[in-house]
């Protein structure tokens, strides 16, 4: 991993903290931030579109009144998705990666988050119209001005990263990865992270296990029953332990705003799934044994 910052292995995802989820008050956000830092979750994941372009400002206002030192946390944010909502006059959802837009988006994020710099800026989703030189001009200017430290992408394929890297280094890729959705193990995405020492981050790291009841989640539940006793762990901890065992050294982004579940996620770092137990869960997810 060739990032320049020390990110916490468990990352707090803030997408559901605002009006896309829990609708936390400022005092509740401050309390949750302090809890995260106390248990060792020092990295917070944002995107400009979260909450319909409102979450960053909500978090920033809480941070400004929290008494927390900026040096004690790392902030990730993303740009590029043009969301259709009240805050924007967009007629249709699309992507924008012009030099001017990337720079303006970062400047707005800095203002919203009440900070002088972003630790990790990610391009949120690949656009068919993105050009590496246009992107690189924005990134190098922002780095020169000290407004961003690390630069990466989210939801990009290895070939898309290769294209961007013709003009600027890509230090990380945040992708969907869980026991229930693990195609990035097979499509070259994690191979690329290992080969190029890219930081691999996983959004939706618990997958659909707690959201859906179907044949797959039923098989996984049956497989977890014996393992929860064996490892003295909860289901969500074992799902995270499965993700954490991958050699890409995955950094799960957890979406919960529940302090107890955040603490449980940190404790999952102590679980070392035995090799065959890891494959027991994989088989349960796939519904068949490995070839």
């Amino acid at each position: 991993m060739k990032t320049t910052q020390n990110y916490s292995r468990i990352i707090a995802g803030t997408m559901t903290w605002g009006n896309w989820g829990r609708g936390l008050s400022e005092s509740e956000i401050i309390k949750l931030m302090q809890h995260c830092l106390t248990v060792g979750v020092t990295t917070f994941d944002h995107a400009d579109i979260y909450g319909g372009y409102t979450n960053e400002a909500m978090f920033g206002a809480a941070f400004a009144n929290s008494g927390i030192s900026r040096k004690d946390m790392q902030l990730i944010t993303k740009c590029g998705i043009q969301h259709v909502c009240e805050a924007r006059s967009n007629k249709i959802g699309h992507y924008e990666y012009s030099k001017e837009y990337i720079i303006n988006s970062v400047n707005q994020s800095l203002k919203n988050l009440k900070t002088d710099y972003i630790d990790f800026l990610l391009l949120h989703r690949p656009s068919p119209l993105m050009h590496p030189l246009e992107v690189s001009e924005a990134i190098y200017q922002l780095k020169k001005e000290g407004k961003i430290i690390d630069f990466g992408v989210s939801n990009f394929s290895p070939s898309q990263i290769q294209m961007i890297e013709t003009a600027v280094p890509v230090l990380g890729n945040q992708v969907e990865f869980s026991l229930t959705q693990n195609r990035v193990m097979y499509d070259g995405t994690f191979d690329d992270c290992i080969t190029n020492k890219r930081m691999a981050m996983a959004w939706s790291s618990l997958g659909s296990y707690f959201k859906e009841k179907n044949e797959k989640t039923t098989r996984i539940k049956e497989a977890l029953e014996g393992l929860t006793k064996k490892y003295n762990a909860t289901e969500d901890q074992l799902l995270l332990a499965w993700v954490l065992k991958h050699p890409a050294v995955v950094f799960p982004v957890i979406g919960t705003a529940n302090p107890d579940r955040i603490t449980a996620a940190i404790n999952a770092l102590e679980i070392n799934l035995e090799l065959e137990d890891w494959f027991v869960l994989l088989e349960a997810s796939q519904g068949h044994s490995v070839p």
Side-chain angles (χ1 to χ4, degrees):
M1 196 175 70
K2 54 187 179 182
T3 61
T4 59
Q5 300 296 86
N6 292 317
Y7 300 99
S8 59
R9 187 70 188 277
I10 301 295
I11 297 172
T14 65
M15 186 177 75
T16 63
W17 290 20
N19 60 26
W20 282 5
R22 294 286 295 275
L24 299 178
S25 67
E26 182 174 302
S27 61
E28 288 173 326
I29 294 171
I30 292 173
K31 188 175 180 180
L32 191 56
M33 292 165 62
Q34 291 171 333
H35 176 79
C36 285
L37 295 175
T38 297
V39 299
V41 178
T42 62
T43 305
F44 297 85
D45 180 77
H46 296 269
D48 57 353
I49 66 165
Y50 289 168
Y53 300 97
T54 63
N55 270 33
E56 286 184 332
M58 173 196 71
F59 184 96
F63 168 61
N65 293 320
S66 68
I68 295 170
S69 173
R70 178 65 177 87
K71 66 179 177 59
D72 292 334
M73 66 164 62
Q74 305 83 44
L75 298 178
I76 299 170
T77 198
K78 314 175 196 75
C79 73
I81 297 179
Q82 287 281 31
H83 188 55
V84 178
C85 62
E86 292 181 3
R88 297 283 173 99
S89 59
N90 299 321
K91 299 175 183 177
I92 189 172
H94 60 285
Y95 309 114
E96 170 66 87
Y97 289 125
S98 67
K99 175 183 177 180
E100 180 182 21
Y101 183 81
I102 294 172
I103 291 172
N104 288 342
S105 181
V106 169
N107 285 332
Q108 186 62 51
S109 290
L110 292 173
K111 179 180 178 181
N112 290 341
L113 290 167
K114 301 292 193 292
T115 184
D116 296 327
Y117 65 96
I118 301 297
D119 295 273
F120 216 146
L121 175 70
L122 308 180
L123 304 186
H124 204 156
R125 287 189 179 273
S127 169
L129 298 179
M130 63 188 176
H131 194 284
L133 291 178
E134 186 88 7
V135 170
S136 69
E137 287 182 7
I139 299 308
Y140 281 125
Q141 180 175 324
L142 290 166
K143 280 179 169 284
K144 183 178 180 180
E145 295 172 351
K147 294 179 178 179
I148 66 171
I149 298 177
D150 288 334
F151 165 68
V153 296
S154 183
N155 306 299
F156 275 51
S157 70
S159 65
Q160 290 163 338
I161 294 176
Q162 185 179 19
M163 179 183 69
I164 296 297
E165 283 210 307
T166 61
V168 60
V170 175
L171 301 188
N173 191 10
Q174 185 179 125
V175 295
E176 183 178 11
F177 178 57
S178 65
L179 180 58
T180 60
Q181 181 53 269
N182 48 66
R183 63 177 177 267
V184 291
M185 296 195 305
Y186 303 105
D187 66 7
T189 299
F190 278 173
D191 300 341
D192 168 76
C193 288
I194 294 172
T195 300
N196 295 289
K197 297 181 174 60
R198 249 182 276 287
M199 180 175 169
M201 293 167 273
W203 59 268
S204 191
S205 49
L206 297 181
S208 62
Y209 181 75
F210 293 105
K211 300 174 183 177
E212 300 175 8
K213 186 175 182 180
N214 51 41
E215 290 183 3
K216 177 185 285 189
T217 57
T218 299
R219 290 193 305 266
I220 293 171
K221 187 173 186 63
E222 291 173 354
L224 284 171
E225 286 179 0
L227 296 179
T228 55
K229 296 175 183 177
K230 177 177 179 178
Y231 291 94
N232 190 27
T234 59
E235 292 175 326
D236 52 334
Q237 287 177 319
L238 289 172
L239 292 172
L240 285 176
W242 188 90
V243 167
L244 291 162
K245 192 173 180 66
H246 195 278
V249 189
V250 182
F251 286 62
V253 179
I254 58 172
T256 183
N258 182 308
D260 291 337
R261 292 191 68 182
I262 292 171
T263 301
I266 279 290
N267 291 335
L269 293 171
E270 304 302 318
I271 301 171
N272 182 19
L273 278 179
E274 293 179 9
L275 182 66
E276 289 193 5
D277 290 338
W278 191 91
F279 278 97
V280 164
L281 291 174
L282 178 63
E283 181 178 300
S285 176
Q286 294 181 336
H288 58 79
S289 58
V290 297

